[in-house]
Amino acid sequence: MSSVPVDHILSRVTEAIVERSRTSRKNYLDMVAAQASRGKHRVALSCGNLAHTVAACSTTEKQSILDFTRSNLAIVTAYNDMLSAHVPYRDYPEKIKACLRELGHTAQIAGGVPAMCDGVTQGQPGMELSLFSRDLIAQATALSLSHATYDGILLLGICDKIAPGQLIGALAFGHLPGAFVPAGPMGTGIANDEKVKIRQQYASGEVDKAVLLDMECSSYHSEGTCTFYGTANTNQLVFEAMGLMLPGSAFVPPHDPLREKLTEQVAQLIARQSPGVADYRPLAHVVDEKSVVNGLVALLASGGSTNHTMHLIAVARAAGWIVTWDDFDALSQVVPLLTRIYPNGPADINAFQQAGGVPCLLTLLAERGLLHLDATPISGQMSDYLRYPQLEGEQICYHPAGSSANSEVIAGKGESFSAQGGLRVMQGNLGRGVIKISAVAEQYRVIEAPVRVFDDQNDVESAYQQGEFRDDVIIVVRYNGPAANGMPELHKLMPILGNLMADGLKVALVTDGRLSGASGKVPAVIHVTPEAHCGGPLSQLRDGMRVRINANEGAMMVLDPLMPSSEPHKSVPAQGYGRELFNLFREHVSSAEQGASIFQYPA
């Protein structure tokens, strides 16, 4: 493909990130350089340190680990046998060790990280721990790597908070090379349109729980990542676009023979990049400003999860980069929507892979000058990420991605599903928030209506069941931000609001909570900051006040005077189900716009 100049907005956003991050990026790189200056850390360990390191190893493994010319990789795994996306990781460590053994290298399971499933905790007390699990996973990853016996990092993690958390933790050891090792999606189950239909029928009382359960079990039915384009699959797409895994590897199914060969290839690649060798490629240099912007562009072009308006900010900050919502908004004006994957369309992630997958999407972006092809991926050059892998005999061969094989899922050459990306930043006298507009029809993007104010999504459900919503309404759910209760996802609301829309009402949601990648046709302004718990304007809204939302212009305004309450809301610290153990997180978490993180970095 001939070279296309980088779009001027893309360049301007990249330059702005570099400029505002000069000090923080320098501080990060200075830390990494100090760690790298020690060379192979294993060399500096005492005899007692080394004895503990190899105590349980076989004789061959001991010899390799104690031979400092060999690489010893850290496997940080999120395996558990409840989380379908991570069940395939059960056998990965032994397969990785076996393929490294052939080259005289080794790997050890450095540690495991928590891996909770938002699909299980939706609407349950455990959801209040979900967002905080990202930073806990980052800490667990750092602890796993703290033994300093490793020359590279393999991250076995896929889902919502897990993969971003692992990356944040690994970046604290950015002097080491590292890569994600994907596992792939489950096979296609029940059609997404049918899924939505039955959920809405259950919400309205038309079908019973047995029908709902049968549908859900037909949808989530085997090993592998859930097939809708939520946060888990957004992680995979975005991190491949950032060059953090092998080209074309994100969505190869778990039991495809190619999957196992890709796992072997990435392990051997990282083993060849250890400190002190000619191919040394540390993670800190992979996550550069161009890699970060490529991730933002891929998120917008694919209509990905709104959770990444927090996760990518937190990940970037871990590498010294300061990214803001304004960067998302500026890029969204020039990055078109190039995919239609549920909830932005009927197709699932398997259909996306069959249409050409990430390499095809990146090719379309590169043709428009919307990709930094001079970023530094873990493997080769970014131009290699415009190719897809194919197993030919026992060898992996890469071929140019070419055009979309299904223009209903990935846009054809020169085409798009929307001129703008899937996200918009909203602002006005209610604060700032984000809206995912990729699945919201044009006629629903502007609404002016009175508000109904709730502090809990369960109260919205009760009001709906009692028939209280008869007119156009903007439903406000507040005191659900990070500092209030850990910012749980509010997915109970989607079938309800979908039914109200089907009844002919104009509705919208405004909340300081979140919905993640499963938010669809309902206009929902989420992550509103400052949150109500911290005195944000949402705390001053009262039933009946009129609010206007214009997603096309990125504006949200309350049209009536806000009146501070004489009795400010006081959140009761959550107790039970482990929530009391996370009080420290709630007290120190930053705003959603700053990544909803507990970590403090040098300015």
Side-chain angles (χ1 to χ4, degrees):
M1 185 179 70
S2 59
S3 179
V4 177
V6 174
D7 180 89
H8 73 283
I9 296 294
L10 192 77
S11 294
R12 193 168 72 192
V13 169
T14 307
E15 290 165 4
I17 291 172
V18 170
E19 185 59 36
R20 79 171 75 99
S21 307
R22 289 197 183 280
T23 301
S24 55
R25 178 65 173 175
K26 180 180 183 301
N27 288 337
Y28 173 71
L29 291 179
D30 286 348
M31 177 191 77
V32 169
Q35 292 171 183
S37 68
R38 294 177 56 192
K40 285 203 173 203
H41 288 201
R42 197 161 70 256
V43 176
L45 296 181
S46 72
C47 293
N49 297 149
L50 290 169
H52 281 288
T53 298
V54 301
C57 294
S58 68
T59 300
T60 301
E61 288 173 330
K62 283 183 180 181
Q63 291 173 345
S64 293
I65 293 174
L66 297 177
D67 178 350
F68 302 137
T69 68
R70 305 293 184 176
S71 292
N72 184 38
L73 303 188
I75 299 172
V76 180
T77 179
Y79 165 74
N80 65 43
D81 62 8
M82 183 279 293
L83 188 55
S84 65
H86 291 183
V87 168
Y89 284 141
R90 173 183 53 238
D91 302 322
Y92 273 44
E94 289 308 313
K95 292 178 179 179
I96 289 168
K97 291 178 183 181
C99 78
L100 291 177
R101 195 177 300 125
E102 295 175 3
L103 303 179
H105 303 306
T106 53
Q108 294 176 295
I109 299 176
V113 301
M116 67 179 292
C117 178
D118 286 5
V120 176
T121 58
Q122 290 291 352
Q124 306 300 320
M127 178 50 77
E128 296 184 20
L129 308 184
S130 173
L131 181 60
F132 292 145
S133 75
R134 184 197 66 200
D135 289 3
L136 182 66
I137 288 163
Q139 293 171 323
T141 300
L143 282 172
S144 299
L145 298 172
S146 66
H147 290 113
T149 60
Y150 310 113
D151 307 305
I153 308 165
L154 297 175
L155 300 172
L156 277 55
I158 291 171
C159 288
D160 299 12
K161 269 58 70 186
I162 301 160
Q166 287 180 314
L167 181 53
I168 292 169
L171 282 166
F173 292 78
H175 61 290
L176 297 177
F180 277 98
V181 186
M186 68 175 67
T188 300
I190 192 170
N192 288 309
D193 288 345
E194 183 69 10
K195 184 192 308 183
V196 173
K197 175 184 173 182
I198 293 175
R199 285 175 178 170
Q200 291 186 185
Q201 287 177 333
Y202 178 75
S204 63
E206 296 175 53
V207 300
D208 63 16
K209 192 172 184 178
V211 173
L212 179 67
L213 180 59
D214 181 66
M215 180 279 291
E216 297 289 4
C217 288
S218 297
S219 179
Y220 308 107
H221 58 87
S222 68
E223 292 184 14
T225 315
C226 304
T227 60
F228 70 94
Y229 192 44
T231 308
N233 285 322
T234 303
N235 285 339
Q236 300 303 286
L237 188 151
V238 167
F239 288 168
E240 183 174 324
M242 292 176 68
L244 291 166
M245 60 180 69
L246 289 180
S249 64
F251 300 120
V252 176
H255 300 296
D256 190 316
L258 176 60
R259 173 87 280 156
E260 186 167 334
K261 287 295 183 182
L262 287 167
T263 298
E264 293 174 0
Q265 188 177 74
V266 74
Q268 293 171 348
L269 172 74
I270 298 303
R272 292 194 301 269
Q273 295 180 350
S274 63
V277 302
D279 294 330
Y280 176 51
R281 191 174 293 192
L283 188 60
H285 293 170
V286 171
V287 185
D288 62 11
E289 73 279 11
K290 294 175 181 177
S291 165
V292 168
V293 171
N294 284 348
L296 299 179
V297 169
L299 171 71
L300 295 168
S302 61
S305 169
T306 51
N307 273 327
H308 281 271
T309 62
M310 294 182 291
H311 294 332
L312 285 176
I313 287 173
V315 164
R317 195 65 184 85
W321 300 115
I322 300 173
V323 173
T324 71
W325 280 356
D326 292 327
D327 298 323
F328 287 86
D329 202 48
L331 290 171
S332 189
Q333 306 309 307
V334 296
V335 175
L337 183 65
L338 297 176
T339 74
R340 294 188 72 230
I341 322 171
Y342 181 80
N344 306 325
D348 68 4
I349 203 68
N350 292 307
F352 170 75
Q353 175 71 359
Q354 291 158 10
V358 182
C360 180
L361 175 62
L362 296 184
T363 298
L364 293 176
L365 290 169
E367 289 172 349
R368 290 168 163 84
L370 293 172
L371 197 69
H372 286 298
L373 287 174
D374 54 347
T376 304
I378 62 158
S379 174
Q381 307 172 59
M382 275 307 300
S383 57
D384 297 324
Y385 284 70
L386 311 185
R387 299 173 176 268
Y388 68 91
Q390 192 169 40
L391 195 58
E392 300 179 6
E394 291 297 309
Q395 299 296 317
I396 298 175
C397 299
Y398 287 86
H399 304 278
S403 301
S404 170
N406 185 344
S407 60
E408 295 297 313
V409 180
I410 301 177
K413 185 178 178 67
E415 299 176 350
S416 67
F417 298 112
S418 171
Q420 296 183 337
L423 297 174
R424 285 298 304 268
V425 174
M426 303 287 286
Q427 53 192 340
N429 59 5
L430 285 175
R432 282 163 62 88
V434 295
I435 186 170
K436 183 174 181 177
I437 60 172
S438 50
V440 178
E442 183 68 33
Q443 65 266 31
Y444 299 128
R445 294 183 183 182
V446 179
I447 176 175
E448 181 181 319
V451 300
R452 280 291 306 275
V453 182
F454 300 89
D455 295 348
D456 190 296
Q457 66 175 330
N458 294 315
D459 295 336
V460 180
E461 184 179 36
S462 297
Y464 170 74
Q465 292 170 347
Q466 293 167 23
E468 295 182 14
F469 303 119
R470 297 186 175 90
D471 301 300
D472 295 349
V473 63
I474 294 175
I475 291 174
V476 175
V477 182
R478 61 190 183 183
Y479 299 107
N480 279 262
N485 63 352
M487 208 180 193
E489 293 178 351
L490 306 175
H491 282 301
K492 278 189 176 183
L493 303 177
M494 289 300 98
I496 292 170
L497 296 178
N499 281 342
L500 294 177
M501 291 176 71
D503 291 340
L505 300 183
K506 294 196 74 172
V507 299
L509 173 68
V510 175
T511 180
D512 49 14
R514 61 191 178 96
L515 287 171
S516 88
S519 54
K521 64 183 179 181
V522 177
V525 183
I526 62 178
H527 304 181
V528 174
T529 182
E531 62 176 283
H533 179 80
C534 297
L538 290 188
S539 66
Q540 300 178 33
L541 281 178
R542 302 292 178 266
D543 285 348
M545 288 184 173
R546 294 191 71 80
V547 165
R548 178 175 173 80
I549 294 171
N550 187 328
N552 294 322
E553 296 180 0
M556 62 171 179
M557 301 287 293
V558 56
L559 305 179
D560 298 306
L562 292 169
M563 298 294 292
S565 173
S566 58
E567 297 181 3
H569 180 96
K570 294 187 182 297
S571 296
V572 177
Q575 299 292 315
Y577 302 98
R579 290 175 294 178
E580 65 278 10
L581 302 180
F582 287 79
N583 287 339
L584 191 65
F585 282 61
R586 285 187 291 273
E587 292 169 3
H588 294 280
V589 68
S590 65
S591 71
E593 188 167 10
Q594 295 174 319
S597 177
I598 65 166
F599 300 134
Q600 303 293 321
Y601 297 99

